[in-house]
C-alpha cells in the first residue's frame, strides 16, 4: 500500500489535472498536427518519383520517427498528464522505451542527414559513387536498430520499483542519455556544417563567373542552409531538456516535475516543426504539398510530375 502522503499527492495531482482540460485539448491538437504534417512528408516522398533520392530517404526515415512520436508518445503523455496516478508499470516501461528510442532515432536521422550533406558538398565524386539507395537503406536500418536497442537498455536500467508511472524514467541516467542522444550528435552536426560552409564559400569564390555552375552551387548552398535551420530548430527544442537532465543529479533531483514536462514537450515539438521546415524552405516539397492538399492527385496521375 502506498504511504498516505503519496496518496494525498496523487489525489491533489488528479484534482489539478481536472482543471487543465483546455491545456489537454491544446496538447491533443499538437499531437494531431505532428501526425498530419509528417504523414504529408511521408506520402510526398513515396508518391513523387522526383523525391526518390538518397537524401530524401533519410528525410523519410526522420518523418517516420517523428510520426511515431505523434502517434505513440504524445497521446500517452497527454493521458499521463490528465491522470498522473497511472499504476500500470509495464505500460509505463513500454512508453519509456518508445520515448527514448524514437527521440534518439529522430536526432540520429538529423545527424545522418548532416553527414549526407557533408559528403554531397565536400566530396561530390565519392558521394555519387557510394551514396545510393541500398547504402542509404543500410544506414537507416542501423540507426533504427541502435535506437531501439538503446531505448530498451536505458528504459530498463532506469526503471523504478514503484506503482506510479513517472513522466521521465531513469533520472539517474540523465547525463548518459544527454551525451549519447544529444551532445554527440549536436557536436557532429555543428562540425560538419561548419566544414560545409567553408567549402561552399570557397566554391562560390572560384566559380562565380560560371553562370551554370553558379546556379548549381547556389542550389546546393540553399539546401545546406535549410538543413542548418533544421539543426537550429533541433538545438532550440532539445537543449533545455538536455541541460536539465545533465545537471539534474548535481541538483539532487530537485527540478520540479512541471519544468521537466515543459522541457520535454519542447523537445517533442521538434517532431512537429521538422515537416514545416521542409514545406517552407524546399520548393519541391511546397509544390508536392500543394498538389496533395488541393486534391489534384485524385484527378490525375502526378507521380512523374515536375516539382518546382
Amino acid at each position: 500500500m502506498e504511504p498516505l502522503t503519496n496518496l494525498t499527492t496523487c489525489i491533489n495531482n488528479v484534482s489539478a489535472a481536472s482543471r487543465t482540460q483546455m491545456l489537454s485539448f491544446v496538447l491533443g491538437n499538437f499531437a494531431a498536427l505532428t501526425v498530419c504534417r509528417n504523414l504529408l512528408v511521408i506520402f510526398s516522398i513515396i508518391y513523387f518519383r522526383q523525391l526518390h533520392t538518397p537524401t530524401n530517404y533519410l528525410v523519410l526515415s526522420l518523418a517516420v520517427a517523428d510520426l511515431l512520436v505523434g502517434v505513440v508518445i504524445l497521446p500517452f503523455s497527454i493521458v499521463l498528464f490528465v491522470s498522473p496516478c497511472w499504476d500500470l508499470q509495464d505500460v509505463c516501461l513500454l512508453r519509456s522505451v518508445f520515448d527514448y528510442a524514437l527521440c534518439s532515432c529522430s536526432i540520429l536521422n538529423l545527424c545522418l542527414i548532416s553527414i549526407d550533406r557533408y559528403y554531397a558538398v565536400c566530396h561530390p565524386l565519392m558521394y555519387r559513387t557510394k551514396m545510393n539507395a541500398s547504402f542509404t537503406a543500410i544506414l537507416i536500418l542501423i540507426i533504427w536498430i541502435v535506437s531501439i536497442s538503446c531505448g530498451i537498455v536505458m528504459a530498463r536500467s532506469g526503471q523504478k520499483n514503484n506503482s506510479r508511472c513517472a513522466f521521465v524514467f531513469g533520472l539517474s541516467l540523465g547525463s548518459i542519455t544527454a551525451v549519447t542522444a544529444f551532445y554527440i550528435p549536436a557536436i557532429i552536426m555543428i562540425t560538419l556544417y561548419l566544414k560545409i560552409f567553408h567549402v561552399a564559400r570557397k566554391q562560390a569564390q572560384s566559380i562565380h563567373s560560371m553562370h551554370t555552375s553558379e546556379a548549381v552551387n547556389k542550389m546546393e548552398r540553399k539546401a545546406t542552409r535549410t538543413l542548418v535551420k533544421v539543426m537550429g530548430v533541433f538545438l532550440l527544442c532539445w537543449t533545455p531538456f538536455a541541460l536539465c537532465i545533465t545537471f539534474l543529479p548535481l541538483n539532487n533531483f530537485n527540478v520540479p516535475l512541471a519544468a521537466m514536462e515543459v522541457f520535454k514537450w519542447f523537445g517533442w515539438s521538434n517532431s512537429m516543426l521538422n515537416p514545416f521546415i521542409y514545406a517552407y524552405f524546399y520548393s519541391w516539397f511546397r509544390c508536392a504539398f500543394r498538389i496533395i492538399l488541393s486534391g489534384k492527385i485524385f484527378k490525375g496521375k502526378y507521380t512523374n510530375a515536375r516539382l518546382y
Side-chain angles (χ1 to χ4, degrees), residues 100 107-108 154 173-187 242 245-246:
Y100 186 89
I107 294 173
L108 290 178
M154 296 298 290
L173 300 175
S175 297
I176 299 176
T177 303
V179 169
T180 58
F182 176 77
Y183 293 118
I184 293 178
I187 291 173
I245 62 177
T246 299

CSV table of all heavy atoms in Angstrom, one decimal, residues 100 107-108 154 173-187 242 245-246:
chain,number,residue,atom,x,y,z
A,100,TYR,N,12.5,7.0,-25.5
A,100,TYR,CA,13.9,7.2,-25.8
A,100,TYR,C,14.3,6.7,-27.2
A,100,TYR,O,15.1,7.4,-27.9
A,100,TYR,CB,14.7,6.3,-24.7
A,100,TYR,CG,16.2,6.5,-24.8
A,100,TYR,CD1,16.8,7.5,-24.1
A,100,TYR,CD2,17.0,5.7,-25.7
A,100,TYR,CE1,18.2,7.7,-24.2
A,100,TYR,CE2,18.4,6.0,-25.8
A,100,TYR,CZ,19.0,6.9,-25.0
A,100,TYR,OH,20.3,7.1,-25.2
A,107,ILE,N,16.8,12.2,-33.7
A,107,ILE,CA,18.0,13.0,-33.6
A,107,ILE,C,19.1,12.4,-34.5
A,107,ILE,O,19.9,13.1,-35.2
A,107,ILE,CB,18.4,13.1,-32.1
A,107,ILE,CG1,17.4,14.0,-31.4
A,107,ILE,CG2,19.8,13.8,-32.0
A,107,ILE,CD1,17.7,14.0,-29.9
A,108,LEU,N,19.3,11.1,-34.4
A,108,LEU,CA,20.3,10.4,-35.2
A,108,LEU,C,20.0,10.5,-36.7
A,108,LEU,O,21.0,10.6,-37.5
A,108,LEU,CB,20.4,8.9,-34.8
A,108,LEU,CG,20.9,8.6,-33.4
A,108,LEU,CD1,20.9,7.1,-33.1
A,108,LEU,CD2,22.4,9.2,-33.3
A,154,MET,N,18.2,1.6,-21.8
A,154,MET,CA,18.1,2.8,-20.9
A,154,MET,C,16.8,2.8,-20.1
A,154,MET,O,16.8,3.1,-18.9
A,154,MET,CB,18.1,4.0,-21.8
A,154,MET,CG,19.5,4.2,-22.5
A,154,MET,SD,20.9,4.4,-21.4
A,154,MET,CE,20.5,6.0,-20.6
A,173,LEU,N,20.2,8.4,-14.9
A,173,LEU,CA,20.9,8.1,-16.2
A,173,LEU,C,20.8,9.3,-17.1
A,173,LEU,O,21.1,9.2,-18.3
A,173,LEU,CB,20.3,6.9,-16.9
A,173,LEU,CG,20.4,5.6,-16.1
A,173,LEU,CD1,19.7,4.5,-16.9
A,173,LEU,CD2,21.8,5.2,-15.9
A,174,GLY,N,20.4,10.5,-16.6
A,174,GLY,CA,20.2,11.6,-17.4
A,174,GLY,C,21.5,12.1,-18.1
A,174,GLY,O,21.4,12.4,-19.3
A,175,SER,N,22.6,12.1,-17.5
A,175,SER,CA,23.8,12.5,-18.1
A,175,SER,C,24.2,11.6,-19.3
A,175,SER,O,24.6,12.1,-20.4
A,175,SER,CB,25.0,12.5,-17.1
A,175,SER,OG,24.7,13.5,-16.1
A,176,ILE,N,24.1,10.3,-19.1
A,176,ILE,CA,24.4,9.3,-20.2
A,176,ILE,C,23.4,9.6,-21.3
A,176,ILE,O,23.9,9.6,-22.5
A,176,ILE,CB,24.3,7.9,-19.7
A,176,ILE,CG1,25.3,7.7,-18.5
A,176,ILE,CG2,24.5,6.9,-20.8
A,176,ILE,CD1,25.2,6.3,-17.9
A,177,THR,N,22.2,9.7,-21.0
A,177,THR,CA,21.2,10.0,-22.1
A,177,THR,C,21.5,11.2,-22.9
A,177,THR,O,21.4,11.2,-24.1
A,177,THR,CB,19.8,10.1,-21.5
A,177,THR,OG1,19.5,8.9,-20.7
A,177,THR,CG2,18.7,10.3,-22.5
A,178,ALA,N,21.8,12.3,-22.2
A,178,ALA,CA,22.1,13.6,-22.8
A,178,ALA,C,23.3,13.5,-23.7
A,178,ALA,O,23.3,14.0,-24.8
A,178,ALA,CB,22.3,14.7,-21.8
A,179,VAL,N,24.3,12.8,-23.2
A,179,VAL,CA,25.6,12.7,-24.0
A,179,VAL,C,25.4,11.9,-25.3
A,179,VAL,O,25.8,12.3,-26.4
A,179,VAL,CB,26.7,12.1,-23.2
A,179,VAL,CG1,27.9,11.7,-24.0
A,179,VAL,CG2,27.1,13.1,-22.1
A,180,THR,N,24.7,10.7,-25.2
A,180,THR,CA,24.6,9.8,-26.3
A,180,THR,C,23.6,10.3,-27.3
A,180,THR,O,23.7,10.1,-28.5
A,180,THR,CB,24.3,8.4,-25.8
A,180,THR,OG1,23.0,8.4,-25.1
A,180,THR,CG2,25.4,7.8,-25.0
A,181,ALA,N,22.5,10.9,-26.8
A,181,ALA,CA,21.4,11.2,-27.7
A,181,ALA,C,21.3,12.7,-28.1
A,181,ALA,O,20.5,13.0,-29.0
A,181,ALA,CB,20.0,10.9,-27.0
A,182,PHE,N,22.1,13.5,-27.5
A,182,PHE,CA,22.1,15.0,-27.8
A,182,PHE,C,23.4,15.6,-28.1
A,182,PHE,O,23.7,16.1,-29.2
A,182,PHE,CB,21.4,15.7,-26.7
A,182,PHE,CG,21.3,17.2,-26.9
A,182,PHE,CD1,20.4,17.8,-27.8
A,182,PHE,CD2,22.2,18.1,-26.3
A,182,PHE,CE1,20.4,19.1,-28.1
A,182,PHE,CE2,22.2,19.4,-26.6
A,182,PHE,CZ,21.3,20.0,-27.4
A,183,TYR,N,24.3,15.5,-27.1
A,183,TYR,CA,25.6,16.2,-27.2
A,183,TYR,C,26.5,15.7,-28.4
A,183,TYR,O,27.0,16.5,-29.2
A,183,TYR,CB,26.4,16.2,-25.9
A,183,TYR,CG,25.7,17.0,-24.8
A,183,TYR,CD1,25.3,16.3,-23.6
A,183,TYR,CD2,25.5,18.3,-24.9
A,183,TYR,CE1,24.6,17.0,-22.6
A,183,TYR,CE2,24.8,19.0,-23.9
A,183,TYR,CZ,24.4,18.4,-22.7
A,183,TYR,OH,23.8,19.1,-21.7
A,184,ILE,N,26.6,14.4,-28.5
A,184,ILE,CA,27.5,13.9,-29.5
A,184,ILE,C,26.9,14.2,-30.9
A,184,ILE,O,27.6,14.6,-31.8
A,184,ILE,CB,27.7,12.3,-29.3
A,184,ILE,CG1,28.5,12.1,-28.1
A,184,ILE,CG2,28.3,11.7,-30.5
A,184,ILE,CD1,28.7,10.6,-27.7
A,185,PRO,N,25.6,13.9,-31.2
A,185,PRO,CA,25.0,14.2,-32.5
A,185,PRO,C,25.1,15.7,-32.7
A,185,PRO,O,25.4,16.2,-33.9
A,185,PRO,CB,23.5,13.8,-32.4
A,185,PRO,CG,23.6,12.7,-31.4
A,185,PRO,CD,24.6,13.1,-30.4
A,186,ALA,N,24.9,16.6,-31.7
A,186,ALA,CA,24.9,18.0,-31.9
A,186,ALA,C,26.3,18.5,-32.3
A,186,ALA,O,26.5,19.3,-33.2
A,186,ALA,CB,24.5,18.7,-30.6
A,187,ILE,N,27.3,17.9,-31.6
A,187,ILE,CA,28.7,18.3,-32.0
A,187,ILE,C,29.1,17.8,-33.4
A,187,ILE,O,29.7,18.6,-34.2
A,187,ILE,CB,29.7,17.6,-31.0
A,187,ILE,CG1,29.5,18.3,-29.6
A,187,ILE,CG2,31.1,17.8,-31.4
A,187,ILE,CD1,30.3,17.6,-28.5
A,242,ALA,N,18.0,18.7,-22.5
A,242,ALA,CA,19.3,18.0,-22.3
A,242,ALA,C,20.1,18.7,-21.2
A,242,ALA,O,20.7,17.9,-20.4
A,242,ALA,CB,20.1,18.2,-23.6
A,245,ILE,N,18.4,17.5,-17.7
A,245,ILE,CA,18.7,16.1,-17.2
A,245,ILE,C,20.2,15.9,-17.0
A,245,ILE,O,20.7,15.0,-16.3
A,245,ILE,CB,18.2,15.0,-18.2
A,245,ILE,CG1,18.9,15.1,-19.6
A,245,ILE,CG2,16.7,15.1,-18.3
A,245,ILE,CD1,18.4,14.1,-20.5
A,246,THR,N,21.1,16.8,-17.6
A,246,THR,CA,22.5,16.7,-17.4
A,246,THR,C,22.9,17.1,-16.0
A,246,THR,O,23.7,16.5,-15.3
A,246,THR,CB,23.3,17.5,-18.4
A,246,THR,OG1,23.0,17.1,-19.7
A,246,THR,CG2,24.8,17.5,-18.1
